[in-house]
Amino acid sequence: MRIPILLAAFTAALLPAGQRPAAAPEEGVPAETSWRDLKFPPLKQIPIPPVETYTLPNGMKIFLLEDRELPLVSGTARIRTGNLFDPPDKVGLAGVTGRVMRTGGTQSKTGDELDEQLENIAATVESGIGETSGSVSFSALKENTDEVLAIFHDVLTAPAFRQEKVELEKTQLRSAISRRNDNAGSVAAREFANLVYGKDTPYGWQIEYATVDNIQRDDLVAFYRRYFFPANILLAVWGDFETAEMKAKLEKLFGGWNYRQPPVPPFPKVRRQAAPGIYVARKDDVTQTFITIGHLGGELRDPSYPALEVMADILGGGFRSRLMQRVRTKLGYAYSIGAGWGANYNHPGLFRVFASVRSPVTAETITAVREEIERLRTEEVSDEELETSRQSALNSLVFAFDTKTKTLGRLLNYEYYGYPRDFIQRYQKALAAVTKADVLRAARRHLDPARITIVAVGPAAEFEKSLATLGMPVTSLDLTIPKDEPKAGTAATAGRGN
């Protein structure tokens, strides 16, 4: 009968796991398997797609990449400029210039008219200026390529900078200034960066009401004319097109643009002015302390960068990281904590540990972080930590180069910042070769406890006194926003004091 068999199976299911009879393994299947038994082949070398590169007689360098996967054509112009070139009394000028290039329209159409035209054909043309580069980009269906290229050309070569859009952008900047202390985590990150780079340098300057008021339309026109000229531009176009046909289109559009300017000077150097110590910003409308700890990082071209990326992942790269396991899982101080070794193409980034913690244990959290940083400098990481973090970094490269578009973007970066074209392949090879000794050597060389800067933002009454026990000078940060006092005839919105 089947009843005794079913009864026996039901009874066995009710027993504790340790008392259940072991199930007989299926034929040909190991009795015990684990994810550790899985074997994968090594990642292949990242392929570089065939990009045609040539230079127009006016000096504009062009990159073309055919990609027939979708009936789309996109492009971007990379301009050597940036907000590091802002005058100190007009901080914000580059950003305003970059945005109003598009919103202010062209000589033939207003920005609103461009919006309507582009929306009707599901296309985009955008512009902007960041820290070390400017861009004008477009995206269009293949059938609308010529129409959108014409708009792209006009935005790049003939922006109108209409006064009403200049004033609108300045009003939006004032609004952003008034809200800049709303998010405690953002405050901690901002103040940390300003302290490490130096508040008296272009890397640490802050947009204020006064610097926005100083920006006038003529300043935008002058900034644009200084940096937007053909020999200062890299233009990349990719998508569903014939290379010879696209080359002819671009030569017709831009070949007659012969405006010239002197070469753009180098970007300012980072002065490496350490600001060691603990800095406290009082913010009583939050119930946690938001902490940022670290110092200057490095550049991507640094030979130690692959080992430093592995090191930072071991320290604070996820749930398996040392900081997460100790500070969150074991001690229960924080809900979130992480770390990263920041590296930029042309100047040092920031090495940062960031966390949000229960305010009464702020000092204890800082102590734990400092101990974990020191441990990286004094003993080798484990074999498992090395392999897990190294493979994680290698695998992430797949998603950075899984399309032709992303790969072309990287090639454009390498050209713009003066890196070898095969940099990613060199980096992949170096990353795969990182050893425990490399990580220890890099940590000893680049992690510097004497240069550590700590910023804590939160209800200071709950933790400020305990910080004095950490053996570092404690300084209060003033988050007060200077009042908005518009000049006569200038439209402005009142800002909050903090």
Side-chain angles (χ1 to χ4, degrees):
M1 295 179 63
R2 297 179 60 191
I3 293 178
I5 297 174
L6 294 173
L7 181 61
F10 179 72
T11 303
L14 295 178
L15 292 173
Q19 298 179 23
R20 296 176 193 170
E26 297 180 23
E27 186 176 352
V29 177
E32 293 185 8
T33 58
S34 167
W35 63 269
R36 299 177 190 276
D37 298 321
L38 299 174
K39 303 297 182 184
F40 300 96
L43 291 175
K44 297 179 181 179
Q45 188 178 62
I46 295 172
I48 302 299
V51 178
E52 179 158 340
T53 305
Y54 65 99
T55 303
L56 295 177
N58 60 14
M60 181 184 290
K61 195 165 188 178
I62 295 178
F63 301 74
L64 298 179
L65 175 62
E66 294 183 14
D67 185 355
R68 305 305 179 85
E69 186 173 354
L70 294 171
L72 301 173
V73 177
S74 301
T76 186
R78 182 74 61 86
I79 302 92
R80 185 170 296 280
T81 185
N83 61 33
L84 294 176
F85 292 137
D86 279 348
D89 62 336
K90 297 179 182 180
V91 178
L93 172 59
V96 174
T97 302
R99 287 184 287 274
V100 181
M101 276 186 68
R102 168 63 178 82
T103 63
T106 65
Q107 301 298 329
S108 59
K109 290 189 176 182
T110 68
D112 295 337
E113 289 171 337
L114 292 180
D115 290 342
E116 183 176 357
Q117 181 180 357
L118 291 166
E119 287 172 4
N120 287 337
I121 56 175
T124 62
V125 174
E126 304 294 341
S127 65
I129 297 177
E131 186 176 66
T132 59
S133 70
S135 68
V136 180
S137 59
F138 73 89
S139 179
L141 295 171
K142 178 183 179 180
E143 63 199 66
N144 300 319
T145 299
D146 291 350
E147 181 178 356
V148 177
L149 270 176
I151 297 172
F152 169 75
H153 166 270
D154 288 351
V155 170
L156 182 60
T157 64
F161 296 110
R162 288 177 171 81
Q163 184 66 45
E164 67 271 17
K165 296 300 184 180
V166 177
E167 291 304 322
L168 177 60
E169 183 61 34
K170 290 170 65 175
T171 298
Q172 291 173 339
L173 269 183
R174 293 187 186 97
S175 178
I177 292 170
S178 73
R179 301 191 309 272
R180 73 182 180 203
N181 290 336
D182 288 358
N183 185 286
S186 297
V187 171
R190 179 192 74 216
E191 295 298 318
F192 173 80
N194 290 350
L195 286 164
V196 173
Y197 283 124
K199 292 187 176 183
D200 60 339
T201 75
Y203 293 92
W205 286 344
Q206 190 160 257
I207 299 174
E208 301 288 1
Y209 292 124
T211 67
V212 173
D213 286 341
N214 287 338
I215 297 171
Q216 304 302 321
R217 180 184 178 277
D218 287 347
D219 299 316
L220 275 66
V221 173
F223 193 95
Y224 165 80
R225 290 185 63 82
R226 175 63 186 93
Y227 298 106
F228 285 73
F229 57 98
N232 198 42
I233 296 174
L234 304 177
L235 173 58
V237 181
W238 61 93
D240 189 1
F241 57 77
E242 294 286 348
T243 297
E245 183 180 347
M246 179 57 68
K247 184 175 181 180
K249 291 179 188 290
L250 297 178
E251 288 176 347
K252 182 177 180 180
L253 275 173
F254 294 102
W257 188 29
N258 293 312
Y259 178 62
R260 299 181 184 278
Q261 283 284 357
V264 173
F267 291 107
K269 297 290 185 182
V270 173
R271 297 180 184 175
R272 297 184 178 274
Q273 293 180 335
I278 302 174
Y279 297 82
V280 177
R282 187 182 189 99
K283 190 165 173 58
D284 293 327
D285 59 347
V286 294
T287 58
Q288 299 182 75
T289 305
F290 292 80
I291 305 171
T292 303
I293 302 171
H295 52 60
L296 277 179
E299 294 186 17
L300 290 168
R301 68 179 90 236
D302 190 324
S304 297
Y305 177 64
L308 290 165
E309 184 176 9
V310 172
M311 177 205 73
D313 188 70
I314 292 170
L315 178 64
F319 280 99
R320 71 186 184 285
S321 69
R322 291 182 175 184
L323 288 177
M324 185 65 80
Q325 289 297 313
R326 180 176 179 184
V327 177
R328 173 177 163 162
T329 303
K330 182 179 179 180
L331 298 175
Y333 289 166
Y335 177 75
S336 65
I337 187 168
W341 182 267
N344 294 320
Y345 282 101
N346 66 336
H347 66 270
L350 296 171
F351 162 60
R352 297 188 306 136
V353 175
F354 41 89
S356 57
V357 306
R358 293 187 292 113
S359 292
V361 293
T362 299
E364 291 85 345
T365 301
I366 294 172
T367 296
V369 170
R370 292 169 69 185
E371 289 174 353
E372 290 301 329
I373 291 174
E374 187 59 30
R375 187 155 74 99
L376 283 170
R377 300 177 69 251
T378 54
E379 61 184 54
E380 287 189 344
V381 301
S382 70
D383 291 332
E384 183 176 354
E385 286 177 319
L386 173 69
E387 185 62 16
T388 300
S389 292
R390 186 173 56 190
Q391 290 302 322
S392 176
L394 283 168
N395 291 335
S396 69
L397 295 179
V398 174
F399 302 101
F401 295 88
D402 57 345
T403 66
K404 290 182 178 181
T405 300
K406 291 181 182 178
T407 304
L408 178 60
R410 292 292 181 119
L411 293 178
L412 198 63
N413 283 337
Y414 299 156
E415 178 73 22
Y416 183 82
Y417 290 107
Y419 280 63
R421 191 167 184 173
D422 65 343
F423 174 78
I424 187 57
Q425 295 169 330
R426 298 185 190 184
Y427 173 70
Q428 183 185 27
K429 183 178 180 180
L431 192 59
V434 170
T435 66
K436 294 189 295 183
D438 293 332
V439 174
L440 180 60
R441 188 181 307 110
R444 285 176 173 171
R445 179 181 175 187
H446 294 277
L447 293 181
D448 187 354
R451 289 193 296 140
I452 287 224
T453 296
I454 301 169
V455 174
V457 180
E462 297 185 27
F463 63 82
E464 189 167 16
K465 288 184 179 179
S466 64
L467 298 180
T469 66
L470 299 180
M472 300 179 73
V474 179
T475 304
S476 294
L477 293 174
D478 184 3
L479 299 182
T480 302
I481 301 172
K483 291 183 178 180
D484 186 11
E485 298 178 351
K487 298 176 182 178
T490 301
T493 57
R496 289 175 287 182
N498 50 42

